[in-house]
Amino acid sequence: MGDMTNSDFYSKNQRNESSHGGEFGCTMEELRSLMELRGTEAVVKIKETYGDTEAICRRLKTSPVEGLPGTAPDLEKRKQIFGQNFIPPKKPKTFLQLVWEALQDVTLIILEIAAIISLGLSFYHPPGESNEGCATAQGGAEDEGEAEAGWIEGAAILLSVICVVLVTAFNDWSKEKQFRGLQSRIEQEQKFTVVRAGQVVQIPVAEIVVGDIAQVKYGDLLPADGLFIQGNDLKIDESSLTGESDQVRKSVDKDPMLLSGTHVMEGSGRMVVTAVGVNSQTGIIFTLLGAGGEEEEKKDKKAADGAAGSNAADSANTSLVNGKMQDGNVDASQSKAKQQDGAAAMEMQPLKSAEGGDADDKKKANMHKKEKSVLQGKLTKLAVQIGKAGLVMSAITVIILVLYFTVDTFVVNKKPWLPECTPVYVQYFVKFFIIGVTVLVVAVPEGLPLAVTISLAYSVKKMMKDNNLVRHLDACETMGNATAICSDKTGTLTTNRMTVVQAYVGDVHYKEIPDPSSINAKTLELLVNAIAINSAYTTKILPPEKEGALPRQVGNKTECGLLGFVLDLKQDYEPVRIQMPEEKLYKVYTFNSVRKSMSTVIKLPDESFRMYSKGASEIVLKKCCKILNGAGEPRVFRPRDRDEMVKKVIEPMACDGLRTICVAYRDFPSSPEPDWDNENDILNDLTCICVVGIEDPVRPEVPEAIRKCQRAGITVRMVTGDNINTARAIAIKCGIIHPGEDFLCLEGKEFNRRIRNEKGEIEQERIDKIWPKLRVLARSSPTDKHTLVKGIIDSTHTEQRQVVAVTGDGTNDGPALKKADVGFAMGIAGTDVAKEASDIILTDDNFSSIVKAVMWGRNVYDSISKFLQFQLTVNVVAVIVAFTGACITQDSPLKAVQMLWVNLIMDTFASLALATEPPTETLLLRKPYGRNKPLISRTMMKNILGHAVYQLTLIFTLLFVGEKMFQIDSGRNAPLHSPPSEHYTIIFNTFVMMQLFNEINARKIHGERNVFDGIFRNPIFCTIVLGTFAIQIVIVQFGGKPFSCSPLQLDQWMWCIFIGLGELVWGQVIATIPTSRLKFLKEAGRLTQKEEIPEEELNEDVEEIDHAERELRRGQILWFRGLNRIQTQIEVVNTFKSGASFQGALRRQSSVTSQSQDVANLSSPSRVSLSNALSSPTSLPPAAAGQG
């Protein structure tokens, strides 16, 4: 098996290891190379080298039953020798990198250039300076000192640019920091069950060490590599590593290898952890993909070029490799493949390492490809429109200024162009250019992305307090547009504390828990055994944590309910389990969504077999042919008895909102031993012991939450695996349906019958007939849930596209969660797979938290609208003032530096102030906006234009007759470098005051009268308004030349503030004008239908392939991209020091590669070089293996 060469290769490097290796019977390298083998190879290797898994446990000094002792020094030592279970993160961007990125902004670059030219010219004193002939028509003696101060304007512009850059960079930095904080919070919450010192404990994934005995169960995402010790019916989906979508069955003698990053699809068991962190299979892949961050970046550029070329080949291969993938899928797989790279990080990240932050960046990059969120789409469109307008305005401003100047100087005054005057003229042109740029800067609302970021980040932080852990930022805002919520029943709408309240035993229907004496002793014993043995041994009922509380339920809640029933019958399940430990169970058929039942076979003392079964009553009763009577004897149970029982027992229980569970058993002879794999024959001819009704009470706060949703225009639908009567009863209790309304409650089968045509294909028109009235979908499978969600989203039945939120907790909910616009996973009951597929995690599993999410989502949308309303008013006014001012007086009344200050108030501060408004309940009183509603409604347009009219009127009045009103010198037509005038200072000051008071107006966007409503609930807003006011005073009184300000008297200040206050009065005037009259006002920033559907969606229907299956196969494409990279970048081999594991990684691939030689799509020589590199391990630098 080539062990010899490997061990030779490592013997040189084991000086440092052998010392540690002595403490444990195997080194990290040995275990790591063991984990690279698969299936039978691995079994052989274990036999040859160690004997069996028990022996490996002994060498790792751990006990398969008791686990590790769990003492701190022992755990520390294991971490030192075998590594920790986390993958080191990629370094975050430094502050300087962020500053550099902020500097890339085009307008800022233009401004910098203009400022530098202006600076250069101000220091250049040509000999012709004294020449009177150069001065333009507007004379006005220049002060000597003033000429010296010409550099100030340039310097001030540069300074303000630096301010803007620092603010932007700081915002990005804090955003990144928040995101990492959030990520680490998600990681800390991810726990895994291990056995330590005989106790089952849950520890954070990062704390797992080699030698731990971990308990794995249905729905887990394995956090580390390990060997299977014992368990039942464990099936694993290894597609994330191998690309094979078939589930792999694990057993000690056939395939004991459990790999990190794979999903448990069925069953349960225990494993001993053998490799963690960077040494686990997923860790190795990560290290290969990200070997050396810097190199990676260089290569990424190459890879990007290469990828474009190989994409076509890629997609063709996918269809080859998957065999089942149709050709129609080529396009989709191609677009998927592109997304894959980003998804890679997440796909293969059970270790949710600190890498999380980076993965999220990749995710963010990936997000845009997915589909811009509603808000992003509208904002981008708006920003482009505004940008174009600004560009046109600024260009016109510059042209007019230059033309006016040249015509005036050279044509009207017939001045010759003297060579010595050139610098003076150039200075004028630079000044005009700066004015033009300033107009542009003011016109472009670069504060928009900032406002969005702040608003989202703020909301996400606050949503944590409301038990919403947001994994993708835009989910938060999409939620505000939600029109439908498809919710699970168990645990979300109900408390998930199951209790048995009715039972049918021995021909009697007990309406409450029966007295144990009233039940036949034989029946009772059978019942206790059936419940105690035929349930996961991890399920327990523990004493309450504090006095008077309810007992704690651990594990599967339905099973907890049944165990509670055993305790209520004054019996105990523990002795039964001790007598029949988990290792002795002969065969277990675990619960899955197809069987809807669970059965356990045990060997009785007389060598015969007995099977206990439990499951949904209508399913298990169909398989019963006997039932125990009052004397504990089985009697015949015919179909017509069954129908009667359904009518008399099961339906009444279900109508009380109870889940009915049937418990049954069957005896088998010892010989011939039955064929256990033939499930249909085994799970038949059962004898029914009893039927119990389990109550799962509705959470007290749910009916109110659902009422709020309905008021807010959101339809709540319940999708559950329960019986239809139970589901209907609970839906009525929750208020999802009201008696007498026109609604549908369907079972999964009936739903499928109605939406499929004769050929069995799903038709959208058929779904459109059903979903508007559908309120409850019962006995539904995960595919039904996915079909329903997809059907509602793709529907064109309503004029708005539906935005659907879905809650899910099981592994099988993954596809539906991914398909939905917003997927909510349960934080407590949810499996890792569900959390991975979701956008938001509900940390308290409570439906009312979803309502909070809706509130926050709508609040984000409104905050941004408020900001826009404020920002655009300022933009319109500033642009028009600068433009007309420049055209009429050859000089903008608002100077470049002042404009930048205004820009700073408008953008950064206003976005902080308006984006952090807390949400109010009133947000839930309106219908969702939907996708086609414009960002800027008519009301907002009315406000923007109305306030602009007020501001323009006053500013122009001040500009042209201000000097007469205040008896001061006119500031118009001042020559170059003249001192700042009081006149223009008053204009600037008034302008800022109006903005400040208009900021208060902007707090309301639906035309409300009271703009001060709840203003003190937002301390940030108050601080910013007062802070801006204070800074403005400083600028005006002490700003001097750089800000082109001259100090004002008190009475002048009073006038400025008075005009500003007028804004509030004017706001009331505007509010009285009915919007409905102003038909001519256009709305802006609306998404049209056409831009709606991204290409991916169009391709999506090309292939008729089950979505869930495709999700499982995503791993494949990823594999090939990974392979591609590995093969093109052999340098990675060199950076990746420990050669053997790399060989192992590639040896493993060779089988995959041989199936599709084209995957690499490389020229043959490089493939040859790759194989050479592999065949001779000596060509790799033998670095210390310990580092690997």
mmCIF file with all atom_site columns, all heavy atoms in Angstrom, residues 1086-1100:
data_model
loop_
_atom_site.group_PDB
_atom_site.id
_atom_site.type_symbol
_atom_site.label_atom_id
_atom_site.label_alt_id
_atom_site.label_comp_id
_atom_site.label_asym_id
_atom_site.label_entity_id
_atom_site.label_seq_id
_atom_site.pdbx_PDB_ins_code
_atom_site.Cartn_x
_atom_site.Cartn_y
_atom_site.Cartn_z
_atom_site.occupancy
_atom_site.B_iso_or_equiv
_atom_site.pdbx_formal_charge
_atom_site.auth_seq_id
_atom_site.auth_comp_id
_atom_site.auth_asym_id
_atom_site.auth_atom_id
_atom_site.pdbx_PDB_model_num
ATOM 1   N N   . ARG A 1 1086 ? -37.944 52.747 -9.655  1.00 0.00 ? 1086 ARG A N   1
ATOM 2   C CA  . ARG A 1 1086 ? -38.834 51.587 -9.572  1.00 0.00 ? 1086 ARG A CA  1
ATOM 3   C C   . ARG A 1 1086 ? -38.207 50.473 -10.404 1.00 0.00 ? 1086 ARG A C   1
ATOM 4   O O   . ARG A 1 1086 ? -37.514 50.716 -11.370 1.00 0.00 ? 1086 ARG A O   1
ATOM 5   C CB  . ARG A 1 1086 ? -40.223 51.961 -10.075 1.00 0.00 ? 1086 ARG A CB  1
ATOM 6   C CG  . ARG A 1 1086 ? -40.514 51.467 -11.443 1.00 0.00 ? 1086 ARG A CG  1
ATOM 7   C CD  . ARG A 1 1086 ? -41.767 51.937 -12.119 1.00 0.00 ? 1086 ARG A CD  1
ATOM 8   N NE  . ARG A 1 1086 ? -42.734 52.649 -11.360 1.00 0.00 ? 1086 ARG A NE  1
ATOM 9   C CZ  . ARG A 1 1086 ? -43.988 52.222 -11.222 1.00 0.00 ? 1086 ARG A CZ  1
ATOM 10  N NH1 . ARG A 1 1086 ? -44.353 51.083 -11.719 1.00 0.00 ? 1086 ARG A NH1 1
ATOM 11  N NH2 . ARG A 1 1086 ? -44.863 52.938 -10.589 1.00 0.00 ? 1086 ARG A NH2 1
ATOM 12  N N   . LEU A 1 1087 ? -38.441 49.238 -9.976  1.00 0.00 ? 1087 LEU A N   1
ATOM 13  C CA  . LEU A 1 1087 ? -37.923 48.104 -10.741 1.00 0.00 ? 1087 LEU A CA  1
ATOM 14  C C   . LEU A 1 1087 ? -39.014 47.679 -11.692 1.00 0.00 ? 1087 LEU A C   1
ATOM 15  O O   . LEU A 1 1087 ? -40.140 47.465 -11.286 1.00 0.00 ? 1087 LEU A O   1
ATOM 16  C CB  . LEU A 1 1087 ? -37.638 46.934 -9.807  1.00 0.00 ? 1087 LEU A CB  1
ATOM 17  C CG  . LEU A 1 1087 ? -36.267 46.907 -9.167  1.00 0.00 ? 1087 LEU A CG  1
ATOM 18  C CD1 . LEU A 1 1087 ? -36.158 45.665 -8.319  1.00 0.00 ? 1087 LEU A CD1 1
ATOM 19  C CD2 . LEU A 1 1087 ? -35.187 46.876 -10.213 1.00 0.00 ? 1087 LEU A CD2 1
ATOM 20  N N   . THR A 1 1088 ? -38.696 47.527 -12.958 1.00 0.00 ? 1088 THR A N   1
ATOM 21  C CA  . THR A 1 1088 ? -39.731 47.081 -13.881 1.00 0.00 ? 1088 THR A CA  1
ATOM 22  C C   . THR A 1 1088 ? -39.726 45.575 -13.918 1.00 0.00 ? 1088 THR A C   1
ATOM 23  O O   . THR A 1 1088 ? -38.789 44.938 -13.476 1.00 0.00 ? 1088 THR A O   1
ATOM 24  C CB  . THR A 1 1088 ? -39.453 47.623 -15.284 1.00 0.00 ? 1088 THR A CB  1
ATOM 25  O OG1 . THR A 1 1088 ? -38.082 47.358 -15.547 1.00 0.00 ? 1088 THR A OG1 1
ATOM 26  C CG2 . THR A 1 1088 ? -39.685 49.098 -15.345 1.00 0.00 ? 1088 THR A CG2 1
ATOM 27  N N   . GLN A 1 1089 ? -40.791 45.024 -14.504 1.00 0.00 ? 1089 GLN A N   1
ATOM 28  C CA  . GLN A 1 1089 ? -40.912 43.564 -14.522 1.00 0.00 ? 1089 GLN A CA  1
ATOM 29  C C   . GLN A 1 1089 ? -39.706 42.935 -15.204 1.00 0.00 ? 1089 GLN A C   1
ATOM 30  O O   . GLN A 1 1089 ? -39.245 41.906 -14.820 1.00 0.00 ? 1089 GLN A O   1
ATOM 31  C CB  . GLN A 1 1089 ? -42.140 43.138 -15.326 1.00 0.00 ? 1089 GLN A CB  1
ATOM 32  C CG  . GLN A 1 1089 ? -43.436 43.045 -14.580 1.00 0.00 ? 1089 GLN A CG  1
ATOM 33  C CD  . GLN A 1 1089 ? -43.369 42.432 -13.200 1.00 0.00 ? 1089 GLN A CD  1
ATOM 34  O OE1 . GLN A 1 1089 ? -43.638 43.091 -12.260 1.00 0.00 ? 1089 GLN A OE1 1
ATOM 35  N NE2 . GLN A 1 1089 ? -43.028 41.187 -13.013 1.00 0.00 ? 1089 GLN A NE2 1
ATOM 36  N N   . LYS A 1 1090 ? -39.239 43.601 -16.276 1.00 0.00 ? 1090 LYS A N   1
ATOM 37  C CA  . LYS A 1 1090 ? -38.251 42.935 -17.102 1.00 0.00 ? 1090 LYS A CA  1
ATOM 38  C C   . LYS A 1 1090 ? -36.964 42.691 -16.343 1.00 0.00 ? 1090 LYS A C   1
ATOM 39  O O   . LYS A 1 1090 ? -36.357 41.644 -16.436 1.00 0.00 ? 1090 LYS A O   1
ATOM 40  C CB  . LYS A 1 1090 ? -37.983 43.758 -18.357 1.00 0.00 ? 1090 LYS A CB  1
ATOM 41  C CG  . LYS A 1 1090 ? -37.325 42.916 -19.461 1.00 0.00 ? 1090 LYS A CG  1
ATOM 42  C CD  . LYS A 1 1090 ? -37.311 43.649 -20.776 1.00 0.00 ? 1090 LYS A CD  1
ATOM 43  C CE  . LYS A 1 1090 ? -36.038 44.439 -20.920 1.00 0.00 ? 1090 LYS A CE  1
ATOM 44  N NZ  . LYS A 1 1090 ? -36.019 45.815 -20.803 1.00 0.00 ? 1090 LYS A NZ  1
ATOM 45  N N   . GLU A 1 1091 ? -36.558 43.715 -15.564 1.00 0.00 ? 1091 GLU A N   1
ATOM 46  C CA  . GLU A 1 1091 ? -35.267 43.559 -14.886 1.00 0.00 ? 1091 GLU A CA  1
ATOM 47  C C   . GLU A 1 1091 ? -35.373 42.571 -13.753 1.00 0.00 ? 1091 GLU A C   1
ATOM 48  O O   . GLU A 1 1091 ? -34.425 42.189 -13.139 1.00 0.00 ? 1091 GLU A O   1
ATOM 49  C CB  . GLU A 1 1091 ? -34.853 44.888 -14.276 1.00 0.00 ? 1091 GLU A CB  1
ATOM 50  C CG  . GLU A 1 1091 ? -34.577 45.902 -15.332 1.00 0.00 ? 1091 GLU A CG  1
ATOM 51  C CD  . GLU A 1 1091 ? -34.649 47.270 -14.739 1.00 0.00 ? 1091 GLU A CD  1
ATOM 52  O OE1 . GLU A 1 1091 ? -34.389 47.403 -13.551 1.00 0.00 ? 1091 GLU A OE1 1
ATOM 53  O OE2 . GLU A 1 1091 ? -34.975 48.198 -15.469 1.00 0.00 ? 1091 GLU A OE2 1
ATOM 54  N N   . GLU A 1 1092 ? -36.630 42.241 -13.440 1.00 0.00 ? 1092 GLU A N   1
ATOM 55  C CA  . GLU A 1 1092 ? -36.911 41.417 -12.317 1.00 0.00 ? 1092 GLU A CA  1
ATOM 56  C C   . GLU A 1 1092 ? -36.245 40.078 -12.349 1.00 0.00 ? 1092 GLU A C   1
ATOM 57  O O   . GLU A 1 1092 ? -35.672 39.636 -11.405 1.00 0.00 ? 1092 GLU A O   1
ATOM 58  C CB  . GLU A 1 1092 ? -38.365 41.084 -12.501 1.00 0.00 ? 1092 GLU A CB  1
ATOM 59  C CG  . GLU A 1 1092 ? -39.265 41.507 -11.652 1.00 0.00 ? 1092 GLU A CG  1
ATOM 60  C CD  . GLU A 1 1092 ? -39.183 41.446 -10.270 1.00 0.00 ? 1092 GLU A CD  1
ATOM 61  O OE1 . GLU A 1 1092 ? -38.387 40.809 -9.644  1.00 0.00 ? 1092 GLU A OE1 1
ATOM 62  O OE2 . GLU A 1 1092 ? -39.990 42.061 -9.814  1.00 0.00 ? 1092 GLU A OE2 1
ATOM 63  N N   . ILE A 1 1093 ? -36.419 39.395 -13.498 1.00 0.00 ? 1093 ILE A N   1
ATOM 64  C CA  . ILE A 1 1093 ? -36.083 37.983 -13.493 1.00 0.00 ? 1093 ILE A CA  1
ATOM 65  C C   . ILE A 1 1093 ? -34.640 37.834 -13.896 1.00 0.00 ? 1093 ILE A C   1
ATOM 66  O O   . ILE A 1 1093 ? -34.287 38.109 -15.024 1.00 0.00 ? 1093 ILE A O   1
ATOM 67  C CB  . ILE A 1 1093 ? -36.968 37.228 -14.484 1.00 0.00 ? 1093 ILE A CB  1
ATOM 68  C CG1 . ILE A 1 1093 ? -38.438 37.543 -14.188 1.00 0.00 ? 1093 ILE A CG1 1
ATOM 69  C CG2 . ILE A 1 1093 ? -36.703 35.746 -14.406 1.00 0.00 ? 1093 ILE A CG2 1
ATOM 70  C CD1 . ILE A 1 1093 ? -39.394 36.964 -15.177 1.00 0.00 ? 1093 ILE A CD1 1
ATOM 71  N N   . PRO A 1 1094 ? -33.778 37.446 -12.991 1.00 0.00 ? 1094 PRO A N   1
ATOM 72  C CA  . PRO A 1 1094 ? -32.389 37.273 -13.362 1.00 0.00 ? 1094 PRO A CA  1
ATOM 73  C C   . PRO A 1 1094 ? -32.241 36.034 -14.233 1.00 0.00 ? 1094 PRO A C   1
ATOM 74  O O   . PRO A 1 1094 ? -33.107 35.177 -14.241 1.00 0.00 ? 1094 PRO A O   1
ATOM 75  C CB  . PRO A 1 1094 ? -31.690 37.075 -12.022 1.00 0.00 ? 1094 PRO A CB  1
ATOM 76  C CG  . PRO A 1 1094 ? -32.742 36.614 -11.113 1.00 0.00 ? 1094 PRO A CG  1
ATOM 77  C CD  . PRO A 1 1094 ? -34.046 37.119 -11.615 1.00 0.00 ? 1094 PRO A CD  1
ATOM 78  N N   . GLU A 1 1095 ? -31.115 35.963 -14.958 1.00 0.00 ? 1095 GLU A N   1
ATOM 79  C CA  . GLU A 1 1095 ? -30.982 34.878 -15.926 1.00 0.00 ? 1095 GLU A CA  1
ATOM 80  C C   . GLU A 1 1095 ? -31.075 33.516 -15.257 1.00 0.00 ? 1095 GLU A C   1
ATOM 81  O O   . GLU A 1 1095 ? -31.648 32.598 -15.785 1.00 0.00 ? 1095 GLU A O   1
ATOM 82  C CB  . GLU A 1 1095 ? -29.651 34.993 -16.653 1.00 0.00 ? 1095 GLU A CB  1
ATOM 83  C CG  . GLU A 1 1095 ? -29.668 36.151 -17.618 1.00 0.00 ? 1095 GLU A CG  1
ATOM 84  C CD  . GLU A 1 1095 ? -28.274 36.492 -18.091 1.00 0.00 ? 1095 GLU A CD  1
ATOM 85  O OE1 . GLU A 1 1095 ? -27.451 35.574 -18.155 1.00 0.00 ? 1095 GLU A OE1 1
ATOM 86  O OE2 . GLU A 1 1095 ? -28.033 37.661 -18.386 1.00 0.00 ? 1095 GLU A OE2 1
ATOM 87  N N   . GLU A 1 1096 ? -30.478 33.411 -14.070 1.00 0.00 ? 1096 GLU A N   1
ATOM 88  C CA  . GLU A 1 1096 ? -30.490 32.107 -13.418 1.00 0.00 ? 1096 GLU A CA  1
ATOM 89  C C   . GLU A 1 1096 ? -31.908 31.554 -13.359 1.00 0.00 ? 1096 GLU A C   1
ATOM 90  O O   . GLU A 1 1096 ? -32.136 30.400 -13.592 1.00 0.00 ? 1096 GLU A O   1
ATOM 91  C CB  . GLU A 1 1096 ? -29.996 32.228 -11.969 1.00 0.00 ? 1096 GLU A CB  1
ATOM 92  C CG  . GLU A 1 1096 ? -28.586 31.808 -11.812 1.00 0.00 ? 1096 GLU A CG  1
ATOM 93  C CD  . GLU A 1 1096 ? -27.697 33.024 -11.872 1.00 0.00 ? 1096 GLU A CD  1
ATOM 94  O OE1 . GLU A 1 1096 ? -28.221 34.119 -12.077 1.00 0.00 ? 1096 GLU A OE1 1
ATOM 95  O OE2 . GLU A 1 1096 ? -26.485 32.858 -11.739 1.00 0.00 ? 1096 GLU A OE2 1
ATOM 96  N N   . GLU A 1 1097 ? -32.855 32.458 -13.034 1.00 0.00 ? 1097 GLU A N   1
ATOM 97  C CA  . GLU A 1 1097 ? -34.218 31.972 -12.844 1.00 0.00 ? 1097 GLU A CA  1
ATOM 98  C C   . GLU A 1 1097 ? -34.730 31.401 -14.157 1.00 0.00 ? 1097 GLU A C   1
ATOM 99  O O   . GLU A 1 1097 ? -35.448 30.447 -14.188 1.00 0.00 ? 1097 GLU A O   1
ATOM 100 C CB  . GLU A 1 1097 ? -35.137 33.126 -12.433 1.00 0.00 ? 1097 GLU A CB  1
ATOM 101 C CG  . GLU A 1 1097 ? -34.685 33.847 -11.218 1.00 0.00 ? 1097 GLU A CG  1
ATOM 102 C CD  . GLU A 1 1097 ? -35.252 33.240 -9.960  1.00 0.00 ? 1097 GLU A CD  1
ATOM 103 O OE1 . GLU A 1 1097 ? -36.467 33.082 -9.905  1.00 0.00 ? 1097 GLU A OE1 1
ATOM 104 O OE2 . GLU A 1 1097 ? -34.473 32.911 -9.069  1.00 0.00 ? 1097 GLU A OE2 1
ATOM 105 N N   . LEU A 1 1098 ? -34.356 32.080 -15.269 1.00 0.00 ? 1098 LEU A N   1
ATOM 106 C CA  . LEU A 1 1098 ? -34.870 31.625 -16.544 1.00 0.00 ? 1098 LEU A CA  1
ATOM 107 C C   . LEU A 1 1098 ? -34.312 30.243 -16.854 1.00 0.00 ? 1098 LEU A C   1
ATOM 108 O O   . LEU A 1 1098 ? -34.991 29.387 -17.379 1.00 0.00 ? 1098 LEU A O   1
ATOM 109 C CB  . LEU A 1 1098 ? -34.466 32.605 -17.649 1.00 0.00 ? 1098 LEU A CB  1
ATOM 110 C CG  . LEU A 1 1098 ? -35.115 33.986 -17.490 1.00 0.00 ? 1098 LEU A CG  1
ATOM 111 C CD1 . LEU A 1 1098 ? -34.558 34.937 -18.504 1.00 0.00 ? 1098 LEU A CD1 1
ATOM 112 C CD2 . LEU A 1 1098 ? -36.620 33.890 -17.632 1.00 0.00 ? 1098 LEU A CD2 1
ATOM 113 N N   . ASN A 1 1099 ? -33.032 30.073 -16.497 1.00 0.00 ? 1099 ASN A N   1
ATOM 114 C CA  . ASN A 1 1099 ? -32.442 28.772 -16.808 1.00 0.00 ? 1099 ASN A CA  1
ATOM 115 C C   . ASN A 1 1099 ? -33.007 27.702 -15.909 1.00 0.00 ? 1099 ASN A C   1
ATOM 116 O O   . ASN A 1 1099 ? -32.932 26.540 -16.207 1.00 0.00 ? 1099 ASN A O   1
ATOM 117 C CB  . ASN A 1 1099 ? -30.938 28.792 -16.564 1.00 0.00 ? 1099 ASN A CB  1
ATOM 118 C CG  . ASN A 1 1099 ? -30.281 29.746 -17.500 1.00 0.00 ? 1099 ASN A CG  1
ATOM 119 O OD1 . ASN A 1 1099 ? -30.850 30.058 -18.535 1.00 0.00 ? 1099 ASN A OD1 1
ATOM 120 N ND2 . ASN A 1 1099 ? -29.111 30.218 -17.149 1.00 0.00 ? 1099 ASN A ND2 1
ATOM 121 N N   . GLU A 1 1100 ? -33.533 28.160 -14.775 1.00 0.00 ? 1100 GLU A N   1
ATOM 122 C CA  . GLU A 1 1100 ? -33.854 27.180 -13.773 1.00 0.00 ? 1100 GLU A CA  1
ATOM 123 C C   . GLU A 1 1100 ? -34.873 26.170 -14.260 1.00 0.00 ? 1100 GLU A C   1
ATOM 124 O O   . GLU A 1 1100 ? -34.868 25.036 -13.889 1.00 0.00 ? 1100 GLU A O   1
ATOM 125 C CB  . GLU A 1 1100 ? -34.395 27.886 -12.540 1.00 0.00 ? 1100 GLU A CB  1
ATOM 126 C CG  . GLU A 1 1100 ? -33.952 27.126 -11.383 1.00 0.00 ? 1100 GLU A CG  1
ATOM 127 C CD  . GLU A 1 1100 ? -33.521 27.912 -10.210 1.00 0.00 ? 1100 GLU A CD  1
ATOM 128 O OE1 . GLU A 1 1100 ? -34.399 28.279 -9.455  1.00 0.00 ? 1100 GLU A OE1 1
ATOM 129 O OE2 . GLU A 1 1100 ? -32.314 28.088 -10.036 1.00 0.00 ? 1100 GLU A OE2 1
#
